[in-house]
Amino acid sequence: MSFDLLKSLGEMVSTEPDVLEKHACDWSNVNRQRPLAVLRPRSVADISAALRLCHRAGIAVVPQGGLTGLAGGATPQAGQVALSLERLKGVEEIDRDSATITVLAGTPLEVAQKAAAEAGLYLALDIGARGSCQIGGNVATNAGGNHVIRYGMARAQVLGLETVLADGTILTSLTKVMKNNAGYDLNQLFIGSEGTLGVVTRVVLRLHARPRSKSTALIATSGYEATVKLLRRLQNALGDISAFEAMWPDFYRYVTDHPATGIKPMADKHPFYALTEFQGSEPERDGARLEECLGAAIEDGEALDALIAQSEREARSFWTIREGAALDLLPYLINFDVSAPTAQLGALAERTKAALIARWPEGLFFVYGHIGDGNIHLSAWAGDTLEAVAHEMDEIVYGEVRRIGGSISAEHGIGTLKRAYLGHSRSAAEIELMRRIKAALDPKGILNPGKVI
Amino acid sequence: MSFDLLKSLGEMVSTEPDVLEKHACDWSNVNRQRPLAVLRPRSVADISAALRLCHRAGIAVVPQGGLTGLAGGATPQAGQVALSLERLKGVEEIDRDSATITVLAGTPLEVAQKAAAEAGLYLALDIGARGSCQIGGNVATNAGGNHVIRYGMARAQVLGLETVLADGTILTSLTKVMKNNAGYDLNQLFIGSEGTLGVVTRVVLRLHARPRSKSTALIATSGYEATVKLLRRLQNALGDISAFEAMWPDFYRYVTDHPATGIKPMADKHPFYALTEFQGSEPERDGARLEECLGAAIEDGEALDALIAQSEREARSFWTIREGAALDLLPYLINFDVSAPTAQLGALAERTKAALIARWPEGLFFVYGHIGDGNIHLSAWAGDTLEAVAHEMDEIVYGEVRRIGGSISAEHGIGTLKRAYLGHSRSAAEIELMRRIKAALDPKGILNPGKVI
């Protein structure tokens, strides 16, 4: 490795042990590996210079945002240099008439959300890591979250991108419009490619009108199928609801029984639970409309019980249950993030849980998630260390996903941790084409090698 | 050319003169060219076999849908074979619980819309050519239309695709979920690439809840800036409105004065006009809500007058004005479809019109379109044949678009007719990368050569 070469990049290069340590892993905290150096450029020109040099010298680069990923996508591998976007941050412009925000890639999501709100507009992208994650990382991983059912993934928020290619070329496609069919939409290539095709440096996001009301409800139902019916009823009655989350009963019981949660707003005797959020435009009526719709669902037997949050605080408490922080206190918890058509997701959950319980009768297996998007999370604890169970558990869960034709990663990406299973969800022809795209954009393979494909 | 080779494809091959003539051009009706043969396969396997053969033999193929494009993208060039999707049609499945529809590529858009409606759901994609255009073409051109402001382009409706690559490989990515981050989203490559990277054969589209009401209004405003303010007011008050169209005053006057239109629901003395559609979920209240919002806009001086359609028939009549069929009766009309940030679109329209009038003082120049999406159409008539003015007019219009950093094609695509101007909207680095992608997917260049790049 050519440290002297890297040093020519000047002030942006750090090899301080504490800096290397900070950039050694994403939130998965698996396979920690200090990078050879951390590059912290302050400008797009700096990034271009850094990549040009690494490209020439054949130095592998792992781009890093807020390090909040869970699939190992931003974790360095041996001999790699970390390219951190943390100093390339700031909101550059909010264009009220065009309803867009332009931000540098290292800007934390929450900073952009607040800037949009101050301008009277609404940035629809939202995930739990909003305070730490960065917009560039959100785009590179096509982040999902709780509002996808209404607003779509990160991809749907992106209008324009600036990206630096492997050889240092700056690619500027910073369009601010919904409609631009002048040639291939190259931006789509970089969204969700986990830093393997280019480094996102600037982003134009579309903004929506700010919702004028928000109503939140916790609901008990008779099971998965009734919950899907309830979802479609809510959409028919209220238009596009902004969130719809399902909680299988053992999830609800475990979390609400746990002292870390400390609330149980509704009895835990029901077969199934859901949480919904309705963003409306008539503050004085929207709560009553949601209530009326849920009342009709109870009359028809789709819902068994429902609580409408009477305050933002109560709404937060419902979300606290769904966020299930209590699970994270279990040692050696393993989290899965899979998708399948909504119609088949209930069966996938049941079959997977049955297979896991058969193997680990003493284990705890919790299912919850965004069923309107076809996405569930499964949090599993088998009482043993990760090393002892992780591989076998992956085989079982991803085997069930493969059988049903689902996706092994709904929103968290592939990174390294799911790479061995990519073939469970994608055909040989698809993977071959991914390799062709990778070779076309990064022929020397310096951008985040060892990830995704 | 190897006719004997083609003949080995059997029944799907036609060289009948009337068939060749039917497939000689898209709706632009410019540069008519009979293909060497028309292939009309009935299955995806047929398409794969046809492309495998053409790939081996180096025969250039122009994929064709409903031939409703306006940019020459589906018009054959000398020595090319046309691959028509017209026989590969039909709705294969509607999955109510997952809210998806799966269709073969040759299915007319309107057939899919009706099938979704019969299942109680809503296919949000809609364009004027709905009766003739095909879903495969809609995807290949990333079709836009009047509902983009609420639902996004065709890209936003696509969940899954099956595509046949240049060498005949069938690529199946028929996901039915909103969330799938397992590797690169290859489907994005084909959407909007105008048949140059692959042939779309099957499509999974997401469906929305069916709107329960629709209110339509024709509005007079004091000018472009007031119209943008009105748009944002409507979105703030009503949530995502489903259409917002602007009409510059000479457009409104010409169309409503024309006997082909035969209506003038509002005086033509106003400085600017808009048409809006609000899809809501409360049939008994939504019209009144729109009326109240427009009343407030009139009080604040943003709007000068407003008419709410009292029937579907009246709503259609407002749209008839906006669709401006009277313009099409002008001989040698030239249509432009450009985009720029909403904040700059008014200036772009004024500057372009001024430049055109300076050159053709006797000409007619009409501007209208989807300003919420940053998209306007310009219909121009300079009193002379197309041949005499088209090139010079392109230079003027696309020159103004370039100056403002806009797009020379918002929704119609590049095809052949705008190919010379791609560099006005895209950088050399972008075009170079497009070529790299093209070479990676179609190294022998047999898929729709001469188009886009």
Side-chain angles (χ1 to χ4, degrees):
Chain A
M1 247 296 299
S2 352
F3 268 119
D4 290 347
L5 259 181
L6 277 180
K7 275 187 196 148
S8 73
L9 291 171
E11 182 266 346
M12 75 169 97
V13 186
S14 172
T15 52
E16 297 289 320
D18 61 323
V19 176
L20 298 183
E21 189 55 31
K22 198 181 139 215
H23 292 267
C25 204
D26 70 6
W27 272 14
S28 69
N29 205 23
V30 175
N31 306 328
R32 289 191 78 83
Q33 169 75 46
R34 285 191 186 183
L36 288 179
V38 177
L39 310 183
R40 290 179 294 184
R42 293 179 190 278
S43 72
V44 178
D46 279 355
I47 293 175
S48 172
L51 284 176
R52 204 160 49 237
L53 182 144
C54 291
H55 189 253
R56 215 163 40 217
I59 301 169
V61 176
V62 51
Q64 295 186 334
L67 292 171
T68 60
L70 294 167
T75 300
Q77 298 188 346
Q80 298 184 350
V81 164
L83 176 64
S84 168
L85 277 291
E86 67 197 76
R87 289 179 177 171
L88 190 78
K89 66 183 173 191
V91 173
E92 295 198 312
E93 188 204 33
I94 292 188
D95 178 341
R96 280 188 181 79
D97 281 344
S98 307
T100 59
I101 183 169
T102 306
V103 294
L104 289 163
T107 310
L109 172 58
E110 195 169 41
V111 170
Q113 289 174 332
K114 284 184 176 161
E118 276 162 27
L121 292 161
Y122 181 65
L123 174 53
L125 183 64
D126 190 35
I127 59 175
R130 66 186 71 81
S132 321
C133 68
Q134 299 171 7
I135 299 279
N138 298 151
V139 171
T141 58
N142 189 27
N146 295 330
H147 289 147
V148 171
I149 195 169
R150 165 141 182 199
Y151 296 103
M153 303 283 278
R155 188 182 301 279
Q157 320 310 323
V158 173
L159 297 177
L161 287 186
E162 179 187 69
T163 314
V164 182
L165 301 183
D167 65 0
T169 302
I170 299 172
L171 196 79
T172 306
S173 300
L174 286 168
T175 176
K176 285 164 87 175
V177 297
M178 292 276 286
K179 285 183 172 167
N180 184 358
N181 277 342
Y184 303 164
D185 186 346
L186 300 168
N187 292 340
Q188 303 300 331
L189 281 169
F190 304 105
I191 302 169
S193 64
E194 304 186 38
T196 62
L197 299 179
V199 177
V200 172
T201 51
R202 259 191 189 87
V203 183
V204 182
L205 297 165
R206 68 178 293 205
L207 300 175
H208 286 83
R210 228 170 133 179
R212 300 178 67 203
S213 78
K214 190 178 74 180
S215 311
T216 308
L218 181 67
I219 309 152
T221 75
S222 62
Y224 182 79
E225 281 177 33
T227 308
V228 174
K229 283 210 180 76
L230 175 67
L231 161 62
R232 301 307 173 201
R233 174 193 289 267
L234 287 163
Q235 289 176 320
N236 276 323
L238 304 173
D240 285 334
I241 52 172
S242 52
F244 190 85
E245 300 289 313
M247 293 176 274
W248 271 249
D250 25 12
F251 173 90
Y252 182 83
R253 201 170 305 127
Y254 184 87
V255 171
T256 55
D257 278 346
H258 199 286
T261 312
I263 45 164
K264 189 188 293 264
M266 187 179 278
D268 64 13
K269 65 181 178 189
H270 298 294
F272 213 90
Y273 297 84
L275 190 168
T276 192
E277 182 190 276
F278 167 45
Q279 293 177 346
S281 50
E282 292 185 288
E284 64 291 351
R285 294 189 70 250
D286 292 328
R289 287 184 65 198
L290 177 58
E291 196 168 346
E292 188 186 325
C293 181
L294 290 173
I298 289 175
E299 261 178 45
D300 291 355
E302 254 161 52
L304 304 175
D305 194 3
L307 285 175
I308 312 250
Q310 299 303 313
S311 64
E312 175 60 24
R313 188 193 156 105
E314 195 175 3
R316 275 304 323 147
S317 78
F318 294 171
W319 277 104
T320 299
I321 297 170
R322 159 58 185 81
E323 282 157 9
L327 302 186
D328 293 331
L329 303 175
L330 285 164
Y332 310 123
L333 190 76
I334 304 182
N335 292 300
F336 295 92
D337 158 49
V338 301
S339 65
T342 302
Q344 291 160 267
L345 212 47
L348 176 64
E350 292 317 315
R351 282 221 290 267
T352 306
K353 273 175 63 178
L356 292 170
I357 289 167
R359 172 62 187 82
W360 291 285
E362 311 294 315
L364 295 172
F365 307 105
F366 305 110
V367 182
Y368 55 101
H370 327 280
I371 63 168
D373 311 323
N375 176 200
I376 48 172
H377 298 294
L378 166 72
S379 293
W381 175 83
D384 211 335
T385 64
L386 285 184
E387 290 68 23
V389 302
H391 178 71
E392 198 182 347
M393 201 178 279
D394 282 355
E395 290 285 330
I396 292 172
V397 174
Y398 294 139
E400 294 294 340
V401 169
R402 170 178 240 170
R403 251 184 290 286
I404 215 159
S407 170
I408 60 160
S409 180
E411 52 183 3
H412 296 169
I414 296 296
T416 52
L417 300 180
K418 302 179 197 170
R419 200 174 159 223
Y421 296 94
L422 186 59
H424 278 45
S425 293
R426 308 298 295 267
S427 67
E430 289 179 292
I431 294 172
E432 199 278 319
L433 185 52
M434 290 182 210
R435 287 190 203 285
R436 251 194 279 170
I437 297 294
K438 170 72 176 173
L441 268 82
D442 179 19
K444 294 179 77 173
I446 67 151
L447 273 180
N448 217 5
K451 310 292 167 63
V452 186
I453 46 174
Chain B
M1 246 296 298
S2 352
F3 268 119
D4 290 345
L5 258 180
L6 279 179
K7 274 185 196 149
S8 73
L9 291 170
E11 182 266 349
M12 77 168 97
V13 186
S14 172
T15 52
E16 297 289 318
D18 60 323
V19 175
L20 299 182
E21 189 54 32
K22 199 183 138 214
H23 291 267
C25 202
D26 70 5
W27 273 14
S28 69
N29 206 23
V30 175
N31 305 329
R32 289 191 78 82
Q33 169 76 46
R34 286 190 185 183
L36 288 179
V38 177
L39 310 183
R40 290 179 293 184
R42 293 180 190 277
S43 71
V44 178
D46 279 356
I47 294 175
S48 172
L51 285 175
R52 205 159 49 236
L53 181 143
C54 290
H55 189 254
R56 215 162 40 215
I59 302 169
V61 175
V62 52
Q64 295 186 334
L67 293 170
T68 60
L70 294 166
T75 300
Q77 298 189 346
Q80 297 184 350
V81 164
L83 176 64
S84 168
L85 278 291
E86 67 196 76
R87 289 180 176 168
L88 191 77
K89 66 183 171 189
V91 173
E92 294 199 311
E93 188 204 33
I94 292 187
D95 178 340
R96 281 187 178 82
D97 282 344
S98 307
T100 60
I101 184 171
T102 305
V103 293
L104 288 163
T107 311
L109 172 58
E110 196 169 39
V111 170
Q113 289 174 333
K114 284 183 177 164
E118 277 162 27
L121 291 161
Y122 181 65
L123 174 53
L125 183 64
D126 190 36
I127 60 176
R130 65 187 74 79
S132 322
C133 67
Q134 298 171 6
I135 299 280
N138 297 152
V139 170
T141 58
N142 189 26
N146 295 329
H147 290 148
V148 171
I149 193 168
R150 165 140 183 201
Y151 297 101
M153 303 284 276
R155 188 183 301 280
Q157 319 310 322
V158 173
L159 297 177
L161 287 186
E162 179 187 68
T163 314
V164 182
L165 301 183
D167 65 1
T169 302
I170 299 173
L171 197 80
T172 307
S173 301
L174 286 168
T175 177
K176 284 164 90 175
V177 297
M178 293 276 287
K179 286 183 172 169
N180 183 358
N181 277 342
Y184 303 164
D185 186 346
L186 300 168
N187 292 340
Q188 303 300 331
L189 280 169
F190 305 104
I191 302 169
S193 64
E194 304 186 39
T196 62
L197 300 179
V199 177
V200 173
T201 51
R202 259 191 188 84
V203 183
V204 182
L205 297 164
R206 70 179 291 205
L207 300 175
H208 286 83
R210 230 171 131 178
R212 299 178 67 204
S213 78
K214 191 178 73 179
S215 312
T216 309
L218 181 67
I219 309 152
T221 75
S222 63
Y224 182 80
E225 282 176 33
T227 308
V228 174
K229 283 210 181 76
L230 174 66
L231 161 63
R232 301 307 174 202
R233 173 195 289 267
L234 287 163
Q235 289 175 319
N236 276 322
L238 305 173
D240 284 334
I241 52 172
S242 51
F244 191 86
E245 301 289 312
M247 294 175 274
W248 271 249
D250 23 14
F251 172 91
Y252 182 83
R253 200 169 307 126
Y254 184 86
V255 171
T256 55
D257 277 346
H258 200 285
T261 312
I263 45 163
K264 189 188 291 264
M266 188 179 277
D268 63 14
K269 65 182 178 189
H270 298 294
F272 213 89
Y273 297 85
L275 190 166
T276 193
E277 182 191 274
F278 166 44
Q279 293 178 344
S281 50
E282 292 186 289
E284 65 289 351
R285 294 189 69 250
D286 292 328
R289 288 184 64 198
L290 177 59
E291 195 169 347
E292 189 186 324
C293 181
L294 291 172
I298 290 175
E299 261 178 43
D300 291 355
E302 254 161 51
L304 304 175
D305 196 2
L307 285 175
I308 314 250
Q310 298 303 311
S311 63
E312 174 61 22
R313 190 193 153 107
E314 196 175 4
R316 276 300 327 144
S317 78
F318 294 172
W319 277 104
T320 299
I321 297 170
R322 159 58 185 83
E323 281 156 11
L327 301 185
D328 293 330
L329 303 175
L330 285 164
Y332 311 122
L333 189 76
I334 303 182
N335 292 300
F336 295 92
D337 158 49
V338 301
S339 65
T342 303
Q344 290 159 269
L345 212 48
L348 175 64
E350 293 315 317
R351 283 220 290 266
T352 307
K353 273 174 63 177
L356 291 170
I357 289 168
R359 173 61 187 82
W360 291 285
E362 311 295 316
L364 295 171
F365 306 105
F366 304 110
V367 182
Y368 55 101
H370 327 280
I371 63 170
D373 312 322
N375 176 201
I376 48 172
H377 298 294
L378 167 71
S379 293
W381 176 82
D384 211 334
T385 64
L386 286 183
E387 290 68 26
V389 302
H391 178 72
E392 199 183 347
M393 200 178 279
D394 282 354
E395 290 284 331
I396 292 172
V397 175
Y398 295 138
E400 293 295 339
V401 169
R402 169 178 240 169
R403 252 186 290 284
I404 216 160
S407 169
I408 60 161
S409 179
E411 51 184 5
H412 295 170
I414 295 297
T416 51
L417 300 179
K418 301 177 196 171
R419 199 172 159 225
Y421 297 94
L422 186 59
H424 278 46
S425 291
R426 307 300 293 267
S427 67
E430 289 180 292
I431 294 172
E432 200 277 319
L433 184 53
M434 289 181 211
R435 286 190 205 285
R436 251 194 278 170
I437 298 294
K438 171 71 176 173
L441 268 81
D442 179 20
K444 294 178 78 173
I446 67 151
L447 273 180
N448 218 4
K451 310 293 167 62
V452 186
I453 46 175

